[in-house]
Amino acid sequence: MISSQRKKRKEVSVQKIDLEFELNGVPVEADVEPRSLLAFFLRDHLGVKGIHVGCDTTNCGACTVLMDGKSVKSCTVLAARANGTKVTTVEGISSNGNLSALQESFARNHALQCGYCTPGFLMSSLYLLGKNPHPSEEEIRKGLAGNLCMCTGYLNIIKAVKEASSSNFGSEAGNRNNKNSGGS
Amino acid sequence: MVEQIQVTQEERRNYIGTSLRRVEDKRLLTGNTNFVEDLRVADTVFVAILRSPYAHARLLKVDVSRVRKMEGVIEVATGDDALKYSQPLPPYAISKFPSEEYCLATKKVRYMGEPVAAVAAISPELAEDALELIDVEYEPLKPVVDPESAMSKDSPLVYDSFGTNVVGHNHGKWGDVEGAFKQADVVLKKRVGLQRYSSTPLESVSVIATYDDISGELTLKSNAQMPGHVMMTISKIFGIPSNSVHLIINDIGGGFGLKTRPWRQLSIATILAMKLPGMNVKYLEDRTEHLSSGGQTAGLMADIEVAAKKDGKILAFRFRDINNDGASLTYAGTYASMHATLISGCYKINNIEWDSYTVLTNECPSMPNRGVGKPGIVYIVERMIETVAQELKMDPAEIRFRNFIQPDEFPYVTPSGRIYDSGNYPAVLKKALEVSGYEEMKKERDRLKEQGRLVGIGITTYIHGASATAREIEGITINIDPRGTASVRSGSPDMGTSHSTAFVQIVSDIVGMKPDDIRVHPFDSYYSPWTPFSGTHANKFSGPDVEAAVMAAKLLRQKVVTNAAAMLKTGPEDIEVSESVAFSKTNPENKVTIQDIAKATYQNPYLVPGKIDPGLEVTWIGNNESAVKAFDATKEIETGATHQLVTGSGSPTGYMTYPNSAHVALIEVDRETGIISILKYFVVHDIGNVINPQIVQGQLHGGVAHGIGVALMEDFVYDEDGQLIASSFANYLKPTTMEIPNIVDDHVVTPSPRSSLGIKGIGEGETFGPLVTMCNAVEDALSEYGAKVSTLPLTPEKIRNLINRA
């Protein structure tokens, strides 16, 4: 039965464009449909699990990644835009299974429940801490206002970022595009 | 009455009651997750669903001939396939009318977003494109969106054959209502309403369905939160034996009730899978689909009349409520029925009349959402108390103290026949006033008001109703394998609710193992025990799930002790087990690891001298004796319950535990913009003993945050044509880091006598408080205008209108 269904799976010819970029420190070459969005390209074609699509309208931030060090919501960035850039996802912020200081702080402070939004919050927090290594509570609140979490009520996330920032976080955040930027 | 196995040994408590770090976190923090969208498998086709743009229309034609020819399209399904492959979607609570609703529309569409046809294609993008090639002819009909209009005789009918849109009616009358009203010093009337809203799990519903037409097995990898209901319902809808439904639930990105009954989504994927045997049919519901058709709360409108004495004592109340359950029977009636569950709140009010209507409209079907109808009844009772306090110019705390059920009155039987387990309501409010510095706060408010600022205090005290009903039994298997590591399998999936960590704490303490030696596995219907109730809902974890875990762990400990005693040549009464080592109490050097016990009992069971119990595995399905006794007592006397389960008849809904809370807030209203700022927020609750304080606090924060969202911004607005205006997070607004204030929490502990750990539920309850607290605080802040609030959300526009009208 499976083989007969497979016959129906004719390849569909669509125009594609070439793409070269660095994903978590590893060079990637791929071809991509011009209309492909970065979130879906990373998730469906490259198998990146640390990107979730919670809204499609740039409201929830679960798809946040860093592109050349800046946080972007990858559900509203064309994959083609990644050409020539360095893209960092949550997979790129810990090394050999060791959590970074920020991830440790999230765990210690119970800053996640279902975990679906967590990669996005981590990436937004990294961007914030890179710009401002010692943010006030108000600055953290503003910096994370583009990410939605339905479980935690945010307070433990704010606390986790604050705590990570006071543990000499600046050097780690400044290093965020490095694959081995995990601080622990 | 279930015969209970007596297990007597006392275990140590090293982990229960501590904030053990979550065992779930490392995977979730590193992106190493198994949400359905994360799963990539070969031979996958992707589903897109064509949905009705109309709220109400006759479906004249669904022509799929053009789409079938499109390159990349593999299969198509329409209402004709639904009729061929499936049964109508089963109602949960209402049995009076036959269900006519299929997972894909037949004959009529009844709400904007109702599925009409589905396409399976080789990529999600092509599936989406293909929808444009489906030719549908509709004959638009006049929709009905206002539930009160829906009740009138000349209203358009959502289901023509029903002859009415009023599908449910409850009436209850307790005590001497008329007599009490005659004795009243004041009689007040109040109309209150709750909008339709949703906790909107950030991950929508998703599924990969696979059908093997040779073996007849249907595999569903889904994020459903109630595997028990899925197993009962999907097997029934498709006529597949339940032992051939292979349901696998990995990570769930939040549930809150919205993933308890994903019948449409699972059924559509299943139909396509049955048409494409061997293929993996993947459907990821998008946000707009979820908001418009994934389920919302039932809307509520209630007219209340209350009788009170001058001293603030409430003598009686009567209310009529109308519940808008949208365009489906699937969950209709349940919101209304929950009103009976907490009908008098935490107050001793014996004279009550309740008249309740469940109405269908051309809006999104209702679905459970964090407490179902409990926030509604809390809102009704608490807004009523507040109205009386305002009329009598009485302190809102004082009126509550005067009406509380007293600590020596438990177990307390409510007029509607629910039996509260335990509590100390005055102590909870007293502590809330202390923690919040209430007396000082009042002075601060008055001082700021004198400066011309609109500052107000809101207070509320209420009951939750938690730990599910005792009948909703759960199953658990705990196994120590031949190498000495333990596995836990249950029917209760973790959806961010930290079940794995809590199970590890319980098993660690009771069996006597290191947490690192225990792993909790995801639900898999081929290997996990399940019951019709299996799932994560109604704060059930703290009830049946924990009871099953405790009992299974005690029985497993008994096996460990028996075998250890044989190996150590001593009596079982001399054995202690801790941190994966069993030892003699009288001679602690005489010890054996659980690893060695496992080795001996599995590999050489009959070489060990003495009595040995081979195999270290226990499955337990059931509840504890005191919970079952309480349930038996409740079921004899309660009224208002209409739950049908999925196949059975009406069943009682008396909860296993009844936690309670007091919320206190200080807010400021911006006179010019109408924007509300929450300056301070306090929660004191009594949820009995606690398994993990940090996790409980997380649930409390999340609950309050959701309640604040509902109170201030969330609203599924429909226009008069039944078009959903709020169909994305750009216009269905959720609170962010900018809106949620810091929350101070504290606890009063009255252990539940029905729980073997003395716990009560957490999760749903704290969402209810802000709904009332914000209204009360706004009325206090706007007291100079005499403004009265009747509905939520308290948007800046609504606040400005209140000020302008004054």
Side-chain angles (χ1 to χ4, degrees):
Chain A
M1 267 324 283
I2 292 177
S3 58
S4 72
Q5 295 302 339
R6 278 199 183 125
K7 280 180 204 155
K8 291 174 78 175
R9 296 194 53 162
K10 284 179 289 185
E11 271 304 306
V12 178
S13 50
V14 280
Q15 191 208 338
K16 291 196 172 178
I17 52 176
D18 292 333
L19 192 60
E20 280 183 42
F21 68 105
E22 212 178 284
L23 175 63
N24 297 324
V26 179
V28 174
E29 281 181 50
D31 55 0
V32 59
E33 276 190 60
R35 64 170 171 171
S36 278
L37 293 164
L38 182 58
F40 298 101
F41 173 69
L42 290 174
R43 189 185 76 186
D44 297 338
H45 295 271
L46 298 183
V48 174
K49 291 174 162 190
I51 287 175
H52 298 123
V53 180
C55 73
D56 298 314
T57 47
T58 329
N59 292 100
C60 83
C63 63
T64 305
V65 301
L66 300 184
M67 189 187 261
D68 285 338
K70 283 189 179 154
S71 68
V72 297
K73 291 181 176 176
S74 63
C75 79
T76 31
V77 173
L78 289 170
R81 276 275 309 281
N83 197 36
T85 68
K86 291 179 178 179
V87 173
T88 309
T89 69
V90 74
E91 282 88 345
I93 66 167
S94 57
S95 60
N96 304 322
N98 294 319
L99 298 182
S100 69
L102 181 66
Q103 289 166 312
E104 268 293 324
S105 189
F106 267 57
R108 198 167 53 244
N109 289 292
H110 187 34
L112 64 155
Q113 289 180 24
C114 80
Y116 189 81
C117 72
T118 307
F121 268 98
L122 288 167
M123 302 318 285
S124 293
S125 303
L126 274 178
Y127 175 63
L128 167 72
L129 292 171
K131 281 192 307 179
N132 180 357
H134 298 286
S136 66
E137 183 191 319
E138 194 55 30
E139 287 167 336
I140 295 170
R141 283 177 178 268
K142 280 187 182 149
L144 299 180
N147 291 68
L148 292 177
C149 171
M150 307 302 176
C151 299
T152 65
Y154 304 110
L155 301 180
N156 287 345
I157 296 175
I158 295 165
K159 196 172 152 201
V161 174
K162 183 82 184 144
E163 208 172 285
S165 71
S166 51
S167 61
N168 192 25
F169 193 80
S171 55
E172 182 195 337
N175 216 3
R176 65 189 170 274
N177 278 328
N178 185 318
K179 197 182 175 215
N180 299 318
S181 66
S184 59
Chain B
M1 190 66 220
V2 187
E3 196 184 325
Q4 300 288 322
I5 296 169
Q6 295 302 320
V7 184
T8 49
Q9 75 271 16
E10 276 301 307
E11 66 279 355
R12 291 186 175 195
R13 289 281 170 92
N14 294 331
Y15 298 103
I16 294 171
T18 69
S19 292
L20 181 73
R21 286 248 314 241
R22 293 213 315 167
V23 301
E24 298 88 343
D25 284 349
K26 196 166 182 183
R27 274 189 326 106
L28 301 173
L29 282 163
T30 51
N32 189 19
T33 44
N34 290 310
F35 296 104
V36 175
E37 70 182 81
D38 297 334
L39 306 177
R40 294 201 305 163
V41 279
D43 295 316
T44 295
V45 290
F46 300 87
V47 177
I49 297 177
L50 182 73
R51 291 169 181 279
S52 169
Y54 295 103
H56 197 194
R58 228 177 290 287
L59 200 51
L60 301 179
K61 190 184 82 176
V62 182
D63 181 354
V64 293
S65 54
R66 282 203 301 150
V67 72
R68 283 195 177 281
K69 290 178 201 144
M70 182 178 148
E71 230 182 341
V73 168
I74 308 291
E75 194 49 86
V76 185
T78 66
D80 287 343
D81 294 299
L83 289 167
K84 182 177 163 193
Y85 287 91
S86 68
Q87 296 292 314
L89 307 181
Y92 177 68
I94 290 174
S95 56
K96 196 173 153 193
F97 302 94
S99 173
E100 293 179 11
E101 183 191 4
Y102 285 82
C103 61
L104 289 159
T106 59
K107 297 180 197 161
K108 246 174 65 155
V109 288
R110 297 184 173 90
Y111 58 97
M112 172 194 155
E114 181 168 1
V116 171
V119 169
I122 60 169
S123 80
E125 292 86 355
L126 285 170
E128 206 63 49
D129 292 348
L131 299 183
E132 289 178 22
L133 298 180
I134 301 174
D135 301 301
V136 186
E137 262 180 49
Y138 298 96
E139 180 195 330
L141 299 168
K142 192 171 156 35
V144 57
V145 289
D146 171 47
E148 285 186 275
S149 311
M151 294 174 79
S152 78
K153 283 209 161 56
D154 51 357
S155 165
L157 292 173
V158 180
Y159 290 85
D160 303 287
S161 70
F162 297 179
T164 177
N165 293 319
V166 182
V167 294
H169 179 228
N170 293 297
H171 184 259
K173 197 169 180 183
W174 306 282
D176 176 13
V177 179
E178 284 79 12
F181 267 84
K182 275 181 203 146
Q183 290 168 24
D185 295 326
V186 286
V187 172
L188 299 169
K189 288 184 181 178
K190 177 110 188 138
R191 169 164 261 224
V192 299
L194 285 179
Q195 75 276 34
R196 305 195 70 189
Y197 61 85
S198 164
S199 292
T200 59
L202 198 55
E203 180 206 31
S204 297
V205 172
S206 47
V207 57
I208 300 172
T210 316
Y211 185 67
D212 182 331
D213 61 340
I214 308 298
S215 70
E217 289 166 286
L218 172 69
T219 301
L220 297 172
K221 293 181 180 132
S222 174
N223 56 4
Q225 69 181 85
M226 276 184 84
H229 271 24
V230 172
M231 294 301 292
M232 299 291 284
T233 303
I234 292 296
S235 60
K236 184 165 178 255
I237 289 178
F238 289 96
I240 298 172
S242 46
N243 65 1
S244 303
V245 177
H246 189 186
L247 175 64
I248 300 165
I249 301 174
N250 288 298
D251 294 329
I252 304 178
F256 310 117
L258 282 307
K259 291 173 181 164
T260 53
R261 292 162 179 81
W263 308 147
R264 298 169 193 88
Q265 301 95 322
L266 297 188
S267 296
I268 290 168
T270 298
I271 288 174
L272 286 165
M274 291 177 90
K275 295 180 87 172
L276 295 168
M279 301 292 281
N280 296 299
V281 177
K282 187 173 190 174
Y283 172 60
L284 306 176
E285 182 182 55
D286 74 24
R287 180 53 52 190
T288 296
E289 292 181 299
H290 186 74
L291 294 177
S292 62
S293 59
Q296 306 171 357
T297 60
L300 169 70
M301 190 55 79
D303 288 297
I304 315 161
E305 196 175 7
V306 55
K309 295 298 269 184
K310 261 187 271 180
D311 63 1
K313 181 77 193 145
I314 311 286
L315 299 177
F317 66 98
R318 49 169 81 103
F319 67 104
R320 175 179 187 264
D321 59 55
I322 300 169
N323 303 273
N324 172 8
D325 275 84
S328 175
L329 276 184
T330 47
Y331 200 62
T334 323
Y335 275 79
S337 81
M338 288 281 180
H339 295 172
T341 306
L342 304 177
I343 200 146
S344 58
C346 42
Y347 309 110
K348 214 156 88 179
I349 307 172
N350 297 321
N351 308 305
I352 303 171
E353 183 172 4
W354 171 51
D355 194 24
S356 171
Y357 298 86
T358 290
V359 178
L360 301 186
T361 62
N362 293 113
E363 292 184 358
C364 177
S366 62
M367 191 65 96
N369 186 90
R370 231 170 165 170
V372 188
K374 287 176 277 178
I377 185 64
V378 165
Y379 187 72
I380 288 168
V381 171
E382 286 299 308
R383 293 292 293 137
M384 173 183 86
I385 296 273
E386 192 70 15
T387 303
V388 176
Q390 287 171 5
E391 174 69 19
L392 298 176
K393 301 199 175 1
M394 211 169 170
D395 188 293
E398 184 54 33
I399 194 168
R400 288 171 166 84
F401 281 121
R402 289 194 189 175
N403 287 284
F404 276 144
I405 296 160
Q406 295 302 307
D408 60 358
E409 292 177 296
F410 293 92
Y412 180 84
V413 182
T414 72
S416 57
R418 272 54 166 194
I419 307 175
Y420 293 168
D421 56 331
S422 66
N424 188 340
Y425 309 146
V428 168
L429 179 54
K430 195 161 167 276
K431 193 160 201 174
L433 300 183
E434 282 164 18
V435 170
S436 63
Y438 182 60
E439 291 305 321
E440 267 311 303
M441 198 194 280
K442 283 196 286 190
K443 287 177 197 156
E444 188 186 348
R445 171 199 61 192
D446 295 342
R447 200 166 50 240
L448 292 168
K449 277 197 164 188
E450 274 169 34
Q451 295 169 14
R453 290 167 65 180
L454 298 177
V455 176
I457 299 172
I459 287 186
T460 186
T461 55
Y462 62 97
I463 307 280
H464 308 189
S467 313
T469 62
R471 84 186 145 105
E472 292 180 84
I473 52 172
E474 188 51 274
I476 193 165
T477 297
I478 312 176
N479 160 289
I480 298 175
D481 62 36
R483 298 211 58 196
T485 65
S487 291
V488 178
R489 296 178 180 84
S490 91
S492 172
D494 190 327
M495 54 184 196
T497 38
S498 313
H499 291 191
S500 298
T501 302
F503 277 143
V504 165
Q505 290 178 267
I506 291 167
V507 174
S508 289
D509 273 352
I510 296 180
V511 179
M513 294 186 79
K514 289 181 195 159
D516 285 352
D517 290 346
I518 303 160
R519 184 176 281 277
V520 181
H521 295 290
F523 180 86
D524 183 320
S525 64
Y526 277 10
Y527 311 106
S528 308
W530 60 272
T531 76
F533 313 98
S534 280
T536 302
H537 59 279
N539 292 329
K540 174 172 146 287
F541 185 83
S542 59
D545 305 13
V546 162
E547 294 311 320
V550 166
M551 185 52 81
K554 285 183 173 181
L555 293 170
L556 183 59
R557 180 192 174 92
Q558 218 162 39
K559 284 175 176 278
V560 169
V561 167
T562 301
N563 295 332
M567 291 172 77
L568 298 175
K569 299 188 176 59
T570 181
E573 67 290 343
D574 184 38
I575 297 292
E576 176 61 274
V577 193
S578 180
E579 300 291 313
S580 302
V581 179
F583 54 91
S584 156
K585 287 178 197 167
T586 50
N587 175 18
E589 285 313 301
N590 187 20
K591 61 188 176 185
V592 59
T593 62
I594 283 188
Q595 202 177 357
D596 283 340
I597 296 171
K599 195 172 164 185
T601 54
Y602 281 104
Q603 294 182 24
N604 296 305
Y606 305 109
L607 296 182
V608 179
K611 191 182 167 217
I612 195 131
D613 188 353
L616 298 172
E617 179 166 313
V618 173
T619 295
W620 178 261
I621 298 175
N623 210 326
N624 80 57
E625 197 172 347
S626 61
V628 172
K629 267 187 189 159
F631 177 73
D632 282 347
T634 296
K635 80 178 184 204
E636 298 301 322
I637 54 176
E638 76 169 42
T639 52
T642 51
H643 295 207
Q644 300 291 320
L645 214 206
V646 282
T647 50
S649 56
S651 178
T653 56
Y655 279 90
M656 201 169 130
T657 69
Y658 291 88
N660 67 293
S661 293
H663 288 213
V664 181
L666 180 71
I667 66 148
E668 177 162 15
V669 175
D670 185 310
R671 206 186 292 266
E672 299 306 316
T673 62
I675 291 173
I676 294 169
S677 305
I678 304 170
L679 308 177
K680 292 177 179 174
Y681 206 98
F682 303 89
V683 177
V684 174
H685 67 187
D686 179 356
I687 59 162
N689 295 334
V690 160
I691 296 173
N692 186 315
Q694 193 181 33
I695 288 169
V696 162
Q697 191 185 47
Q699 292 288 323
L700 183 153
H701 287 175
V704 171
H706 178 58
I708 288 173
V710 177
L712 302 187
M713 54 220 301
E714 300 182 30
D715 192 357
F716 284 117
V717 179
Y718 283 87
D719 72 10
E720 58 191 18
D721 295 324
Q723 293 292 309
L724 178 62
I725 308 298
S727 61
S728 80
F729 284 148
N731 39 26
Y732 185 83
L733 300 179
K734 299 299 292 192
T736 71
T737 46
M738 301 307 288
E739 283 82 30
I740 303 307
N742 288 320
I743 300 164
V744 177
D745 61 272
D746 212 328
H747 313 267
V748 167
V749 179
T750 318
S752 174
R754 296 178 195 161
S755 159
S756 47
L757 299 181
I759 61 173
K760 300 178 185 175
I762 183 71
E764 295 179 347
E766 306 308 346
T767 62
F768 316 165
L771 277 53
V772 185
T773 309
M774 288 298 117
C775 288
N776 294 352
V778 163
E779 288 184 351
D780 189 37
L782 300 184
S783 59
E784 65 183 77
Y785 297 106
K788 300 293 174 217
V789 173
S790 57
T791 59
L792 297 176
L794 300 164
T795 58
E797 184 190 5
K798 195 176 279 175
I799 299 291
R800 278 299 309 162
N801 284 339
L802 284 172
I803 292 173
N804 286 340
R805 236 183 283 143

